[in-house]
Amino acid sequence: MPNYYCSLSSWHQLLTQIMHGVMNILIIEDEDLYADQLEMLVEKMGYHCSGITDNSVDALALVARNRPDVLLMDVHIQGDYDGIELTQMIRKDFPYIPVVFITSMTDDMTFRRASRMGLIQFIVKPFSDLQLQRAIELAIQDVKTDSTGKEREGTTWQKYLLLGDHLF
């Protein structure tokens, strides 16, 4: 039986994030220096870091448990799958979680593999704060709207708003 226990402070934090529209971002990065930098930048931009991991196994568990709004994903990570393969697996259960690929790999094959995933942004290390911020914003916008610019129905954000309406 799943454990649904959550401390009162955790529930308060979750409800505050839902009410104020704070995006939860999961960082999947195997280089500690970049993972720390990403966490700091995510928080500085007003988002919430819902977790950090360096491998595909833990990433799958964190996505299922935390249901992040955006993934910051290194292409080369530890574990059985690289970031692109991991994204493909995640998309089976969570098709609308946008991914920002962050990589030092600049070859065409990597870019083509990543671009087939849909709902992605792609930035190359080293990156600036502004590049990361714009990539996250574009990823969020991509998931909110379809290719014609029309708002998608049933997205995570609409579910949060619905949940908020029922709670308050």
Side-chain angles (χ1 to χ4, degrees):
M1 178 173 210
N3 180 3
Y4 293 106
Y5 171 77
C6 187
S7 70
L8 185 56
S9 63
S10 295
W11 275 109
H12 181 271
Q13 181 182 15
L14 176 63
L15 292 176
T16 301
Q17 290 169 0
I18 291 170
M19 288 174 26
H20 293 103
V22 175
M23 294 290 144
N24 289 305
I25 297 179
L26 176 62
I27 298 169
I28 305 162
E29 169 62 64
D30 66 337
E31 294 181 46
D32 290 339
L33 183 63
Y34 274 108
D36 291 343
Q37 179 187 14
L38 287 168
E39 180 182 25
M40 180 189 69
L41 291 173
V42 161
E43 299 286 340
K44 181 180 170 184
M45 292 175 197
Y47 302 117
H48 175 257
C49 177
S50 65
I52 300 174
T53 186
D54 63 357
N55 68 80
S56 57
V57 173
D58 291 344
L60 284 171
L62 284 170
V63 168
R65 185 176 70 223
N66 297 347
R67 308 282 172 108
D69 298 304
V70 177
L71 301 175
L72 298 183
M73 175 94 65
D74 188 3
V75 172
H76 179 26
I77 57 174
Q78 297 177 22
D80 295 335
Y81 308 103
D82 69 14
I84 297 169
E85 294 165 330
L86 178 60
T87 298
Q88 190 172 20
M89 294 178 68
I90 291 168
R91 289 283 164 76
K92 291 176 185 173
D93 293 322
F94 307 100
Y96 287 118
I97 297 178
V99 176
V100 176
F101 285 114
I102 301 172
T103 185
S104 56
M105 302 172 77
T106 59
D107 61 286
D108 287 339
M109 185 172 151
T110 300
F111 179 76
R112 281 194 305 261
R113 284 181 60 222
S115 65
R116 287 188 217 126
M117 295 298 105
L119 293 176
I120 64 122
Q121 295 293 315
F122 194 93
I123 58 177
V124 178
K125 296 175 187 175
F127 53 86
S128 70
D129 299 7
L130 185 59
Q131 286 173 314
L132 179 64
Q133 182 177 6
R134 288 188 175 159
I136 292 170
E137 289 172 3
L138 287 171
I140 293 167
Q141 186 61 35
D142 285 349
V143 80
K144 285 181 167 181
T145 58
D146 63 19
S147 60
T148 66
K150 183 179 174 188
E151 184 102 3
R152 291 184 196 271
E153 291 188 29
T155 63
T156 304
W157 291 271
Q158 289 171 334
K159 290 175 186 172
Y160 281 166
L161 290 174
L162 182 62
L163 178 61
D165 288 345
H166 281 78
L167 290 173
F168 301 99

